[in-house]
Amino acid sequence: MDLHISLEGRGDRTDRIYRQVRDAILDGRLRAGERVPPSRDLARSLAVSRNTVAAAYDRLVGDGFLRGRAGAGTFVAMPPSAAGSRRAPVGALLPSARWAATAAELARLPPVPPARFDLRPGHPDGTLFPLATWRRLLARSLRGSPDYGDPAGLEPLRAAIARSVGLSRSVRASPADVIVTHGAQQGLDLIGRVLIEPGTVVAVEEPGYRPARLAFEALGAKVVPVPVDASGLVVEALPRSARLVYVTPSHQYPLGVPMSLARRAALLAWAERHGAAIAEDDYDSEFRYSDRPLEPLQSLDRAGRVVYVGSFAKTLLPALRLGFLVPPASLRPALLAAKRLVDWHVEPAAQAALADFIDEGLLRRHVRTVTRVYAARHDLVTAAARGVLADRFTLVPSSAGLHVTLLAAAHVDVPGVVARLRAAGVALEGLADFHAGPFAASAATPDGLVVGYGTVTAADLPAALELLDRVSRPLG
């Protein structure tokens, strides 16, 4: 293997070779059992005598860092447990105040240990993904991938997305209107980059999607939480100074309520009246189990106020990191400039494979298949909420998505329930975790549980729900 050693400057060359090989072992760059370059080859690459390198190797063998094998070469002898974690100096460089605050808030999020049952929201079942089909499409697309792609995305994929969301969600879009992103989160970041100046007021739902709030705050926004009721975001509570409103109208995250048509019309009128933009996150609208889906804000918008944010993280796999924006024409040049500067483009082979996946009808077929699977799981959770759990929790009606929310009765200790469930092997999130600031449960804003069913099979859900039932009963 190649080993970088610098002999620039003054000093004993044998000692410098010794110290740099030793440091590579201590740093973990050279691992136990790896073969170091033969002394003859290293001497040639460093333009020194072989005796100089051999003397350094002899010292390393004597100190236990290396060992020789007759006829095989010289190898690292130090086991990984003996190597120290030698890091680069901490240094005096500090991030900006808002990024330091963002890092601190993210660091406070509790780690989720491996769980027998993962009932967290927003996690689809990866075992349902047609991996063999995707592998075939990806292999085919790799043979024709360009070196660099268009920041807006490959034209065939943009055309496929425009057709798909036009049919399934009545989104008004041509291929030129679509910008392909690394998931919805990058879409929100791009929106923030082109609309937010330091101090810009951004309104978000409360409770709501924490990563969106953090992204806007990190870009310098003053984020204002706005309450949500049974009809969605309370438009009357929006601050007059807000210049961007982030909403999840089709399936509010995390409560699950859809925004009523009257409330949608009120929000659009408010945005036009106050010169504000609306970021519409349509994050899992594909999975519906009853009722006709309401039209997205984007299809009702006649003033060019809505940026539609879509993602394939739930329908396909989060690991693919594929999403898209449909912005009004007035924002498209700035969004493309931001996309070019941030990462240039999304990986072309994955884009081409997704275009084929959509055009060949495979996405539509996959969504139909997994919707039936998720519907069965949805029914199990809602039946338990209306049955054995009904004395402690009230189900928030929801007919879409990969989770439901259960509002807790006043006597239920939700943080205690979440902690005991995690100890029992059930990963679950409390509703308080979706509030922006300090949360105190009350009759007006009760605490609760956000129960995801994306990754737990219908065969395993009864056992998970039985644990929830047992753990949430009053102690004693």
Side-chain angles (χ1 to χ4, degrees):
M1 64 178 299
D2 292 331
L3 178 61
H4 176 75
I5 292 177
S6 173
L7 297 181
E8 293 183 5
R10 299 179 179 180
D12 181 74
R13 292 181 172 182
T14 295
D15 184 66
R16 294 166 76 177
I17 295 171
Y18 167 86
R19 291 181 182 279
Q20 291 181 61
V21 175
R22 179 201 62 187
D23 288 350
I25 295 171
L26 292 173
D27 291 345
R29 289 175 283 140
L30 284 175
R31 296 173 295 177
E34 282 193 284
R35 186 172 183 265
V36 297
S39 58
R40 185 188 305 277
D41 294 348
L42 185 58
R44 185 183 305 112
S45 67
L46 297 176
V48 298
S49 72
R50 184 182 179 187
N51 289 339
T52 299
V53 176
Y57 278 9
D58 287 343
R59 284 181 59 188
L60 291 162
V61 171
D63 290 347
F65 291 102
L66 298 179
R67 67 171 178 269
R69 296 181 193 169
T74 306
F75 298 82
V76 176
M78 199 172 192
S81 59
S85 58
R86 293 164 51 90
R87 298 181 177 178
V90 173
L93 298 177
L94 296 175
S96 67
R98 63 173 178 260
W99 277 105
T102 300
E105 181 163 354
L106 288 172
R108 286 192 295 269
L109 298 180
V112 179
R116 178 185 174 196
F117 303 117
D118 190 348
L119 296 181
R120 291 175 297 160
H123 292 256
D125 191 341
T127 65
L128 301 176
F129 181 65
L131 188 59
T133 299
W134 182 260
R135 187 184 297 116
R136 172 178 60 80
L137 296 175
L138 190 60
R140 185 171 70 191
S141 66
L142 281 169
R143 290 192 288 269
S145 292
D147 292 334
Y148 291 98
D150 187 333
L154 296 184
E155 197 280 336
L157 177 57
R158 290 187 280 119
I161 290 173
R163 287 193 299 272
S164 177
V165 295
L167 289 171
S168 65
R169 299 292 293 128
S170 72
V171 170
R172 295 176 293 112
S174 69
D177 296 320
V178 176
I179 298 175
V180 180
T181 64
H182 282 103
Q185 191 66 21
Q186 187 187 47
L188 297 177
D189 178 72
L190 294 174
I191 293 169
R193 286 175 185 269
V194 304
L195 290 177
I196 292 173
E197 301 286 352
T200 297
V201 176
V202 176
V204 300
E205 297 166 319
E206 177 81 329
Y209 184 53
R210 181 169 45 209
R213 173 176 60 83
L214 292 175
F216 297 143
E217 287 178 342
L219 292 169
K222 178 184 177 183
V223 176
V224 178
V226 178
V228 174
D229 63 16
S231 296
L233 183 82
V234 179
V235 175
E236 294 79 5
L238 285 168
R240 295 174 60 87
S241 56
R243 290 298 170 262
L244 175 62
V245 182
Y246 169 77
V247 288
T248 54
S250 297
H251 184 233
Q252 199 278 331
Y253 191 86
L255 294 179
V257 297
M259 183 182 286
S260 68
L261 185 59
R263 194 67 63 82
R264 292 173 189 234
L267 177 57
L268 288 169
W270 185 95
E272 185 172 3
R273 192 164 60 249
H274 291 85
I278 300 171
E280 178 182 17
D281 189 348
D282 209 18
Y283 68 98
D284 65 359
S285 60
E286 298 87 355
F287 308 127
R288 297 198 66 84
Y289 314 123
S290 64
D291 305 327
R292 286 178 55 84
L294 291 171
E295 286 188 293
L297 290 166
Q298 195 269 358
S299 68
L300 302 172
D301 178 26
R302 294 296 180 267
R305 293 288 170 186
V306 177
V307 184
Y308 184 87
V309 183
S311 170
F312 297 95
K314 308 299 186 293
T315 49
L316 300 180
L317 284 177
L320 295 179
R321 305 311 303 147
L322 288 166
F324 61 94
L325 296 176
V326 181
S330 57
L331 285 183
R332 180 178 165 81
L335 287 167
L336 286 176
K339 183 73 173 65
R340 183 186 293 271
L341 292 177
V342 168
D343 70 351
W344 198 293
H345 62 84
V346 175
E347 196 275 309
Q351 291 189 67
L354 179 56
D356 291 341
F357 195 79
I358 296 172
D359 285 341
E360 294 178 17
L362 300 172
L363 176 63
R364 185 169 62 252
R365 184 190 310 166
H366 175 65
V367 169
R368 283 200 303 264
T369 299
V370 299
T371 297
R372 288 193 293 270
V373 174
Y374 292 141
R377 301 177 189 180
H378 172 270
D379 291 347
L380 286 171
V381 177
T382 55
R386 294 187 174 112
V388 296
L389 300 173
D391 60 328
R392 284 148 284 158
F393 298 97
T394 300
L395 174 71
V396 178
S398 175
S399 59
L402 297 177
H403 74 270
V404 296
T405 295
L406 310 180
L407 301 181
H411 67 275
V412 177
D413 173 20
V414 172
V417 169
V418 171
R420 292 193 295 274
L421 281 171
R422 286 183 177 176
V426 181
L428 194 65
E429 293 189 54
L431 187 57
D433 295 334
F434 298 84
H435 286 259
F439 176 79
S442 66
T445 57
D447 203 351
L449 300 174
V450 183
V451 184
Y453 44 82
T455 63
V456 182
T457 66
D460 289 336
L461 262 176
L465 293 169
E466 193 276 331
L467 276 171
L468 171 56
D469 174 37
R470 187 168 74 241
V471 167
S472 63
R473 291 187 179 277
L475 295 177

